[in-house]
Amino acid sequence: MSNRRKTRVVNIGKLKIGGDNPILVQSMTQTRTIDIAGTVKQILELEKAGCEIIRVTAPDIKSATALGEIKKQIHIPLVVDIHFQYLIALEAIKQGVDKVRINPGNIGGEEKVKMVVNACKERGIPIRIGINMGSLERDLYAEYGKYGLARVMLESARRHIKILEKLKFYDTVVSLKASDVNTAIEAYDLFASEYDYPLHIGVTEAGTKWAGSIKSAVGIGSILSRGIGDTIRVSIADDPIEQVKVGWEILKSLGLRQRGVNIIACPTCGRTEINLKKLAADVESALEKVDAPIKVAVMGCVVNGPGEAKFADIGISGGLKKAVIHRGEVVIRVVDEKDVLPVFLDEIKILLIEKGFEKEAEKIDYEIIGK
Ligand code: SF4
């Protein structure tokens, strides 16, 4: 996005957060961290879904000691989430984590912070300061009526940043999460106009899959549209795979990242002449593993479908017992209703091969036909 605010760059494993680097999609495991096999399994599934950074909680030393083994078995940067306990942080760093989420003001004094900061400096790993509207310092809550929640969240961030800067530590990522969308937008906006630390964006405790996805899309999308944000995490009460999928859809909708095939479908209306809902879902399933920058349209009628989908690389529009396949507006094939799905998938395959995506063409899943 051309209006993207310039942030400093921090390293996280082999990746970088901030600057002109891609906005990364991250998630958090839901397993017990001491269950190494279960945690690794979930992370590997998340990797497949497009998760680029994974955070795990370490509520005790035992969990922290499991991190080294977990890291060995995964392929994306591992972030540890720690509250208050500097000894757990030190163990996690020793185990080789790529980033620590800890608030320096809550560790219990400068000496303890210094030990964590020095350990991070030695290993070259960043710290994320995670401001959450639900867990601000008591004295700041007292101020909130006067200044508004977003401003006191900013003040909280300032305090933690000051502690790190005093120790000459600048590899810091910051998040300012609120469950209220407007508060989150304002907090990130205020922060970005004062600091150049890279930002982890999210709307916290967004809600269930349906409502939470919408809330996250509106909140994260609004913040990103202001040019703010270097990594995103969708917090919905569902499988973390869904969180990653929603994150990618947000980035794809704003044109910020590309992953998979972009599928568009009309909302249907009185003109619709095919079972569009099923066809669109089948096409989406069949193309789930394909990663190529093409736009595929599934439209409900031949009257308006090809025209409305003129910007798609390939589309299908339903007619009475027949459907037409078109590239842009140009009809290339007429197909009987019963053959719609296999023929359309074949045509997508041809298109992918023509565009040089032979390997991706092989990933079309024809198993969906007849289901
Ligand atoms: Fe209705 Fe046809 Fe437009 Fe779909 S493409 S919404 S069926 S007019």
Side-chain angles (χ1 to χ4, degrees):
M1 202 169 268
S2 57
N3 66 342
R4 188 163 170 202
R5 309 226 190 152
K6 276 276 173 285
T7 48
R8 64 172 69 219
V9 178
V10 304
N11 293 313
I12 173 162
K14 287 181 196 141
L15 302 178
K16 289 177 188 301
I17 301 177
D20 291 327
N21 292 292
I23 297 166
L24 302 170
V25 175
Q26 59 174 288
S27 191
M28 191 167 181
T29 53
Q30 292 172 341
T31 53
R32 301 248 174 244
T33 306
I34 44 167
D35 171 12
I36 296 176
T39 303
V40 167
K41 183 173 176 278
Q42 188 165 64
I43 296 173
L44 294 179
E45 283 165 8
L46 282 161
E47 285 182 11
K48 269 194 204 149
C51 182
E52 297 172 299
I53 299 173
I54 189 68
R55 180 160 47 115
V56 299
T57 184
D60 47 40
I61 287 283
K62 229 178 157 189
S63 305
T65 52
L67 297 171
E69 192 50 43
I70 291 170
K71 189 172 154 59
K72 266 190 226 157
Q73 298 183 44
I74 63 171
H75 314 91
I76 54 176
L78 180 66
V79 183
V80 65
D81 194 281
I82 292 163
H83 293 266
F84 317 120
Q85 302 282 343
Y86 80 106
L87 285 174
I88 301 177
L90 291 175
E91 179 60 33
I93 295 164
K94 199 171 101 191
Q95 293 287 329
V97 293
D98 299 296
K99 183 166 124 196
V100 181
R101 189 272 192 196
I102 193 165
N103 287 353
N106 302 343
I107 302 179
E110 202 175 317
E111 272 316 299
K112 292 175 181 170
V113 178
K114 215 172 179 174
M115 288 167 80
V116 174
V117 164
N118 285 343
C120 286
K121 277 186 185 170
E122 265 169 39
R123 305 241 174 184
I125 61 171
I127 291 177
R128 170 158 71 92
I129 294 172
I131 305 301
N132 191 310
M133 80 173 207
S135 51
L136 294 170
E137 295 86 337
R138 279 216 183 125
D139 64 308
L140 287 178
Y141 273 126
E143 300 283 294
Y144 133 61
K146 209 161 40 177
Y147 300 108
L149 206 43
R151 286 196 180 273
V152 294
M153 286 169 71
L154 172 66
E155 182 52 32
S156 175
R158 268 198 208 112
R159 288 183 184 180
H160 294 292
I161 287 171
K162 255 186 209 159
I163 297 171
L164 295 183
E165 287 184 344
K166 198 174 159 205
L167 296 167
K168 302 209 173 335
F169 188 86
Y170 305 99
D171 281 346
T172 308
V173 179
V174 177
S175 61
L176 300 114
K177 296 190 185 177
S179 56
D180 172 70
V181 169
N182 286 320
T183 303
I185 296 171
E186 193 187 347
Y188 279 106
D189 217 1
L190 286 168
F191 184 91
S193 50
E194 193 170 322
Y195 291 100
D196 68 350
Y197 287 113
L199 281 163
H200 163 127
I201 304 295
V203 173
T204 194
E205 295 119 24
T208 55
K209 182 176 168 183
W210 189 78
S213 299
I214 295 171
K215 206 167 159 184
S216 297
V218 173
I220 295 173
S222 301
I223 295 163
L224 291 172
S225 295
R226 286 166 161 76
I228 300 167
D230 302 286
T231 172
I232 65 169
R233 194 256 166 135
V234 172
S235 305
I236 49 174
D238 210 291
D239 191 315
I241 301 258
E242 298 302 320
Q243 304 182 0
V244 170
K245 282 188 186 168
V246 175
W248 272 103
E249 284 309 314
I250 295 172
L251 294 180
K252 280 161 69 179
S253 311
L254 291 167
L256 294 166
R257 297 280 306 273
Q258 170 60 44
R259 184 175 197 273
V261 172
N262 189 350
I263 297 174
I264 56 171
C266 82
T268 76
C269 69
R271 284 187 191 272
T272 311
E273 286 166 329
I274 50 166
N275 184 350
L276 186 120
K277 204 170 141 190
K278 181 170 186 332
L279 181 60
D282 287 349
V283 170
E284 189 175 61
S285 295
L287 301 180
E288 203 176 348
K289 295 194 175 70
V290 179
D291 187 8
I294 59 162
K295 197 183 256 187
V296 176
V298 184
M299 309 299 283
C301 72
V302 285
V303 181
N304 290 335
E308 286 182 20
K310 64 162 95 44
F311 296 112
D313 295 288
I314 192 163
I316 188 157
S317 296
L320 198 59
K321 301 211 179 302
K322 289 195 185 301
V324 294
I325 297 173
H326 40 98
R327 287 195 181 188
E329 275 183 287
V330 181
V331 172
I332 54 166
R333 240 175 128 166
V334 181
V335 225
D336 281 345
E337 196 177 23
K338 63 177 182 11
D339 300 323
V340 159
L341 186 59
V343 174
F344 190 43
L345 294 182
D346 283 344
E347 288 296 334
I348 294 170
K349 192 171 189 171
I350 292 166
L351 176 83
L352 285 167
I353 293 166
E354 275 177 24
K355 284 184 174 285
F357 297 106
E358 288 87 355
K359 274 195 185 148
E360 297 306 316
E362 291 308 314
K363 294 181 191 164
I364 296 176
D365 183 3
Y366 281 87
E367 298 282 307
I368 193 78
I369 296 165
K371 278 190 185 164

